[in-house]
Amino acid sequence: MNGTQQRSAERYGAPRISKRTARVLIAVAAAVFVAVVALVGYWSVSAPSAPIRAEMVGYDHVADDVIAVDYQLTMKPGTEATCRIQALNSGRAQVGFVETHVPAQSSRHSVQRVEISTQGAAVSAEVLGCDPA
């Protein structure tokens, strides 16, 4: 040690860990951080973000208080689903709602049709979402 380092060590005390130990600890912490980031990245890529996707195809006014909704489901064959569909009036207020069970399909894409009884005149409809059953 030179004179300055010796006076500094006398005044403040010697370092708690050596420089070599500090470098090793930093390297280990960096390796753990990189491993965690890689693992989270792998999980986010390998996990399906949306196992079931629903898109509106169209709707028909069957009666003044009934609207029929056609929607396309994209999901893995053999998967069952529960879908929520709502009917809306001209003010975008909900006038009808149905939750329907879709049995397992043999193909990835299927078109479903459901009729919704409404509390008033419906001018449109939308699929709120579908989840695995």
Side-chain angles (χ1 to χ4, degrees), residues 99-113:
E99 185 171 285
T100 182
H101 176 77
V102 179
Q105 305 293 311
S106 59
S107 65
R108 185 165 178 76
H109 302 285
S110 65
V111 176
Q112 304 293 319
R113 184 176 182 91

Side-chain angles (χ1 to χ4, degrees), residues 18-32:
S18 69
K19 287 185 178 182
R20 179 183 165 127
T21 304
R23 287 184 185 138
V24 169
L25 289 175
I26 289 172
V28 168
V32 168

Side-chain angles (χ1 to χ4, degrees), residues 52-58 69-75 83 107-113 127 130:
I52 299 174
R53 190 176 65 218
E55 296 177 35
M56 280 289 297
V57 173
V69 179
D70 297 313
Y71 59 100
Q72 179 178 354
L73 282 179
T74 303
M75 61 185 177
C83 295
S107 65
R108 185 165 178 76
H109 302 285
S110 65
V111 176
Q112 304 293 319
R113 184 176 182 91
V127 179
C130 296

Side-chain angles (χ1 to χ4, degrees), residues 7-88:
R7 282 193 304 267
S8 179
E10 289 173 0
R11 179 178 291 166
Y12 300 110
R16 295 183 194 266
I17 57 173
S18 69
K19 287 185 178 182
R20 179 183 165 127
T21 304
R23 287 184 185 138
V24 169
L25 289 175
I26 289 172
V28 168
V32 168
F33 177 75
V34 168
V36 167
V37 168
L39 188 61
V40 168
Y42 172 75
W43 283 340
S44 67
V45 169
S46 64
S49 59
I52 299 174
R53 190 176 65 218
E55 296 177 35
M56 280 289 297
V57 173
Y59 54 87
D60 296 320
H61 298 279
V62 177
D64 289 340
D65 61 346
V66 178
I67 188 169
V69 179
D70 297 313
Y71 59 100
Q72 179 178 354
L73 282 179
T74 303
M75 61 185 177
K76 185 177 176 181
T79 304
E80 295 182 0
T82 301
C83 295
R84 296 166 311 283
I85 301 113
Q86 69 178 354
L88 304 169

